[in-house]
PDB file of all heavy atoms in Angstrom:
ATOM      1  N   PRO A  64      78.002 -39.231  -1.327  1.00 95.00           N
ATOM      2  CA  PRO A  64      77.184 -40.439  -1.178  1.00 95.00           C
ATOM      3  C   PRO A  64      76.514 -40.847  -2.482  1.00 95.00           C
ATOM      4  O   PRO A  64      76.050 -40.002  -3.254  1.00 95.00           O
ATOM      5  CB  PRO A  64      76.134 -40.032  -0.135  1.00 95.00           C
ATOM      6  CG  PRO A  64      76.686 -38.803   0.520  1.00 95.00           C
ATOM      7  CD  PRO A  64      77.515 -38.116  -0.520  1.00 95.00           C
ATOM      8  N   SER A  65      76.462 -42.139  -2.722  1.00 95.00           N
ATOM      9  CA  SER A  65      75.748 -42.690  -3.861  1.00 95.00           C
ATOM     10  C   SER A  65      74.258 -42.777  -3.537  1.00 95.00           C
ATOM     11  O   SER A  65      73.832 -42.549  -2.404  1.00 95.00           O
ATOM     12  CB  SER A  65      76.283 -44.084  -4.183  1.00 95.00           C
ATOM     13  OG  SER A  65      76.048 -44.959  -3.084  1.00 95.00           O
ATOM     14  N   GLU A  66      73.454 -43.143  -4.546  1.00 95.00           N
ATOM     15  CA  GLU A  66      72.024 -43.320  -4.309  1.00 95.00           C
ATOM     16  C   GLU A  66      71.774 -44.428  -3.290  1.00 95.00           C
ATOM     17  O   GLU A  66      70.888 -44.327  -2.444  1.00 95.00           O
ATOM     18  CB  GLU A  66      71.309 -43.637  -5.625  1.00 95.00           C
ATOM     19  CG  GLU A  66      71.163 -42.446  -6.556  1.00 95.00           C
ATOM     20  CD  GLU A  66      70.338 -41.323  -5.934  1.00 95.00           C
ATOM     21  OE1 GLU A  66      69.336 -41.626  -5.246  1.00 95.00           O
ATOM     22  OE2 GLU A  66      70.710 -40.152  -6.108  1.00 95.00           O
ATOM     23  N   GLN A  67      72.551 -45.497  -3.380  1.00 94.00           N
ATOM     24  CA  GLN A  67      72.388 -46.579  -2.411  1.00 94.00           C
ATOM     25  C   GLN A  67      72.716 -46.111  -1.005  1.00 94.00           C
ATOM     26  O   GLN A  67      72.025 -46.454  -0.040  1.00 94.00           O
ATOM     27  CB  GLN A  67      73.266 -47.779  -2.771  1.00 94.00           C
ATOM     28  CG  GLN A  67      73.030 -48.972  -1.833  1.00 94.00           C
ATOM     29  CD  GLN A  67      73.997 -50.107  -2.061  1.00 94.00           C
ATOM     30  OE1 GLN A  67      75.031 -49.937  -2.690  1.00 94.00           O
ATOM     31  NE2 GLN A  67      73.674 -51.281  -1.542  1.00 94.00           N
ATOM     32  N   ALA A  68      73.769 -45.295  -0.875  1.00 95.00           N
ATOM     33  CA  ALA A  68      74.142 -44.775   0.436  1.00 95.00           C
ATOM     34  C   ALA A  68      73.051 -43.877   0.998  1.00 95.00           C
ATOM     35  O   ALA A  68      72.750 -43.921   2.201  1.00 95.00           O
ATOM     36  CB  ALA A  68      75.455 -44.015   0.351  1.00 95.00           C
ATOM     37  N   LEU A  69      72.442 -43.073   0.151  1.00 96.00           N
ATOM     38  CA  LEU A  69      71.355 -42.200   0.600  1.00 96.00           C
ATOM     39  C   LEU A  69      70.164 -43.029   1.078  1.00 96.00           C
ATOM     40  O   LEU A  69      69.539 -42.716   2.101  1.00 96.00           O
ATOM     41  CB  LEU A  69      70.937 -41.257  -0.526  1.00 96.00           C
ATOM     42  CG  LEU A  69      71.977 -40.208  -0.935  1.00 96.00           C
ATOM     43  CD1 LEU A  69      71.515 -39.455  -2.180  1.00 96.00           C
ATOM     44  CD2 LEU A  69      72.234 -39.227   0.213  1.00 96.00           C
ATOM     45  N   GLU A  70      69.867 -44.113   0.351  1.00 95.00           N
ATOM     46  CA  GLU A  70      68.768 -44.989   0.751  1.00 95.00           C
ATOM     47  C   GLU A  70      69.064 -45.674   2.080  1.00 95.00           C
ATOM     48  O   GLU A  70      68.211 -45.741   2.976  1.00 95.00           O
ATOM     49  CB  GLU A  70      68.511 -46.023  -0.336  1.00 95.00           C
ATOM     50  CG  GLU A  70      67.383 -46.994  -0.010  1.00 95.00           C
ATOM     51  CD  GLU A  70      67.159 -48.024  -1.094  1.00 95.00           C
ATOM     52  OE1 GLU A  70      67.699 -47.851  -2.205  1.00 95.00           O
ATOM     53  OE2 GLU A  70      66.450 -49.013  -0.825  1.00 95.00           O
ATOM     54  N   VAL A  71      70.287 -46.189   2.207  1.00 93.00           N
ATOM     55  CA  VAL A  71      70.687 -46.861   3.441  1.00 93.00           C
ATOM     56  C   VAL A  71      70.686 -45.879   4.613  1.00 93.00           C
ATOM     57  O   VAL A  71      70.268 -46.217   5.730  1.00 93.00           O
ATOM     58  CB  VAL A  71      72.077 -47.513   3.272  1.00 93.00           C
ATOM     59  CG1 VAL A  71      72.650 -47.944   4.620  1.00 93.00           C
ATOM     60  CG2 VAL A  71      72.003 -48.701   2.335  1.00 93.00           C
ATOM     61  N   SER A  72      71.129 -44.647   4.361  1.00 94.00           N
ATOM     62  CA  SER A  72      71.175 -43.653   5.437  1.00 94.00           C
ATOM     63  C   SER A  72      69.786 -43.315   5.946  1.00 94.00           C
ATOM     64  O   SER A  72      69.595 -43.096   7.149  1.00 94.00           O
ATOM     65  CB  SER A  72      71.888 -42.382   4.964  1.00 94.00           C
ATOM     66  OG  SER A  72      71.085 -41.655   4.046  1.00 94.00           O
ATOM     67  N   ARG A  73      68.809 -43.290   5.038  1.00 95.00           N
ATOM     68  CA  ARG A  73      67.436 -43.029   5.463  1.00 95.00           C
ATOM     69  C   ARG A  73      66.877 -44.224   6.238  1.00 95.00           C
ATOM     70  O   ARG A  73      66.210 -44.061   7.257  1.00 95.00           O
ATOM     71  CB  ARG A  73      66.554 -42.727   4.241  1.00 95.00           C
ATOM     72  CG  ARG A  73      66.814 -41.378   3.611  1.00 95.00           C
ATOM     73  CD  ARG A  73      65.760 -41.046   2.582  1.00 95.00           C
ATOM     74  NE  ARG A  73      65.855 -41.933   1.419  1.00 95.00           N
ATOM     75  CZ  ARG A  73      66.546 -41.645   0.311  1.00 95.00           C
ATOM     76  NH1 ARG A  73      67.206 -40.490   0.235  1.00 95.00           N
ATOM     77  NH2 ARG A  73      66.586 -42.481  -0.694  1.00 95.00           N
ATOM     78  N   GLN A  74      67.170 -45.420   5.759  1.00 94.00           N
ATOM     79  CA  GLN A  74      66.623 -46.616   6.377  1.00 94.00           C
ATOM     80  C   GLN A  74      67.177 -46.838   7.778  1.00 94.00           C
ATOM     81  O   GLN A  74      66.445 -47.253   8.683  1.00 94.00           O
ATOM     82  CB  GLN A  74      66.920 -47.836   5.503  1.00 94.00           C
ATOM     83  CG  GLN A  74      66.320 -49.134   6.032  1.00 94.00           C
ATOM     84  CD  GLN A  74      66.579 -50.308   5.095  1.00 94.00           C
ATOM     85  OE1 GLN A  74      67.191 -50.159   4.044  1.00 94.00           O
ATOM     86  NE2 GLN A  74      66.101 -51.486   5.487  1.00 94.00           N
ATOM     87  N   TYR A  75      68.481 -46.529   7.970  1.00 94.00           N
ATOM     88  CA  TYR A  75      69.128 -46.831   9.245  1.00 94.00           C
ATOM     89  C   TYR A  75      69.567 -45.590  10.016  1.00 94.00           C
ATOM     90  O   TYR A  75      70.319 -45.710  10.994  1.00 94.00           O
ATOM     91  CB  TYR A  75      70.325 -47.749   9.000  1.00 94.00           C
ATOM     92  CG  TYR A  75      69.923 -49.120   8.504  1.00 94.00           C
ATOM     93  CD1 TYR A  75      70.119 -49.493   7.183  1.00 94.00           C
ATOM     94  CD2 TYR A  75      69.309 -50.038   9.361  1.00 94.00           C
ATOM     95  CE1 TYR A  75      69.734 -50.748   6.721  1.00 94.00           C
ATOM     96  CE2 TYR A  75      68.920 -51.288   8.910  1.00 94.00           C
ATOM     97  CZ  TYR A  75      69.133 -51.636   7.596  1.00 94.00           C
ATOM     98  OH  TYR A  75      68.749 -52.878   7.154  1.00 94.00           O
ATOM     99  N   GLU A  76      69.104 -44.414   9.583  1.00 95.00           N
ATOM    100  CA  GLU A  76      69.387 -43.167  10.301  1.00 95.00           C
ATOM    101  C   GLU A  76      70.885 -42.978  10.535  1.00 95.00           C
ATOM    102  O   GLU A  76      71.354 -42.792  11.666  1.00 95.00           O
ATOM    103  CB  GLU A  76      68.624 -43.143  11.636  1.00 95.00           C
ATOM    104  CG  GLU A  76      67.124 -43.275  11.483  1.00 95.00           C
ATOM    105  CD  GLU A  76      66.408 -43.397  12.817  1.00 95.00           C
ATOM    106  OE1 GLU A  76      66.999 -42.954  13.837  1.00 95.00           O
ATOM    107  OE2 GLU A  76      65.282 -43.925  12.852  1.00 95.00           O
ATOM    108  N   ILE A  77      71.628 -43.051   9.459  1.00 93.00           N
ATOM    109  CA  ILE A  77      73.082 -42.959   9.527  1.00 93.00           C
ATOM    110  C   ILE A  77      73.564 -41.868   8.578  1.00 93.00           C
ATOM    111  O   ILE A  77      72.912 -41.588   7.555  1.00 93.00           O
ATOM    112  CB  ILE A  77      73.718 -44.328   9.167  1.00 93.00           C
ATOM    113  CG1 ILE A  77      75.214 -44.336   9.446  1.00 93.00           C
ATOM    114  CG2 ILE A  77      73.427 -44.721   7.745  1.00 93.00           C
ATOM    115  CD1 ILE A  77      75.847 -45.715   9.289  1.00 93.00           C
ATOM    116  N   ASN A  78      74.643 -41.210   8.921  1.00 94.00           N
ATOM    117  CA  ASN A  78      75.215 -40.164   8.071  1.00 94.00           C
ATOM    118  C   ASN A  78      75.436 -40.707   6.661  1.00 94.00           C
ATOM    119  O   ASN A  78      76.063 -41.755   6.490  1.00 94.00           O
ATOM    120  CB  ASN A  78      76.541 -39.694   8.690  1.00 94.00           C
ATOM    121  CG  ASN A  78      77.217 -38.598   7.903  1.00 94.00           C
ATOM    122  OD1 ASN A  78      77.540 -38.779   6.739  1.00 94.00           O
ATOM    123  ND2 ASN A  78      77.447 -37.476   8.545  1.00 94.00           N
ATOM    124  N   PRO A  79      74.937 -40.007   5.621  1.00 95.00           N
ATOM    125  CA  PRO A  79      75.082 -40.524   4.250  1.00 95.00           C
ATOM    126  C   PRO A  79      76.525 -40.766   3.835  1.00 95.00           C
ATOM    127  O   PRO A  79      76.824 -41.749   3.146  1.00 95.00           O
ATOM    128  CB  PRO A  79      74.435 -39.433   3.387  1.00 95.00           C
ATOM    129  CG  PRO A  79      73.478 -38.741   4.308  1.00 95.00           C
ATOM    130  CD  PRO A  79      74.129 -38.774   5.664  1.00 95.00           C
ATOM    131  N   ALA A  80      77.431 -39.868   4.238  1.00 95.00           N
ATOM    132  CA  ALA A  80      78.839 -40.059   3.881  1.00 95.00           C
ATOM    133  C   ALA A  80      79.399 -41.300   4.560  1.00 95.00           C
ATOM    134  O   ALA A  80      80.151 -42.075   3.954  1.00 95.00           O
ATOM    135  CB  ALA A  80      79.651 -38.825   4.269  1.00 95.00           C
ATOM    136  N   LEU A  81      79.021 -41.505   5.820  1.00 95.00           N
ATOM    137  CA  LEU A  81      79.476 -42.704   6.526  1.00 95.00           C
ATOM    138  C   LEU A  81      78.886 -43.953   5.875  1.00 95.00           C
ATOM    139  O   LEU A  81      79.582 -44.964   5.711  1.00 95.00           O
ATOM    140  CB  LEU A  81      79.068 -42.637   8.001  1.00 95.00           C
ATOM    141  CG  LEU A  81      79.415 -43.858   8.853  1.00 95.00           C
ATOM    142  CD1 LEU A  81      80.917 -44.139   8.839  1.00 95.00           C
ATOM    143  CD2 LEU A  81      78.927 -43.667  10.286  1.00 95.00           C
ATOM    144  N   ALA A  82      77.613 -43.890   5.494  1.00 95.00           N
ATOM    145  CA  ALA A  82      76.990 -45.025   4.814  1.00 95.00           C
ATOM    146  C   ALA A  82      77.748 -45.377   3.540  1.00 95.00           C
ATOM    147  O   ALA A  82      77.952 -46.557   3.233  1.00 95.00           O
ATOM    148  CB  ALA A  82      75.533 -44.718   4.492  1.00 95.00           C
ATOM    149  N   GLU A  83      78.190 -44.372   2.805  1.00 96.00           N
ATOM    150  CA  GLU A  83      78.934 -44.619   1.566  1.00 96.00           C
ATOM    151  C   GLU A  83      80.255 -45.332   1.847  1.00 96.00           C
ATOM    152  O   GLU A  83      80.620 -46.299   1.158  1.00 96.00           O
ATOM    153  CB  GLU A  83      79.206 -43.299   0.853  1.00 96.00           C
ATOM    154  CG  GLU A  83      80.024 -43.421  -0.429  1.00 96.00           C
ATOM    155  CD  GLU A  83      79.327 -44.261  -1.486  1.00 96.00           C
ATOM    156  OE1 GLU A  83      78.078 -44.249  -1.553  1.00 96.00           O
ATOM    157  OE2 GLU A  83      80.038 -44.926  -2.260  1.00 96.00           O
TER     158      GLU A  83
END
Side-chain angles (χ1 to χ4, degrees):
S65 63
E66 286 299 321
Q67 185 187 17
L69 293 173
E70 180 181 347
V71 167
S72 72
R73 288 190 292 266
Q74 183 177 359
Y75 293 106
E76 302 174 23
I77 189 172
N78 181 301
L81 177 58
E83 178 62 33

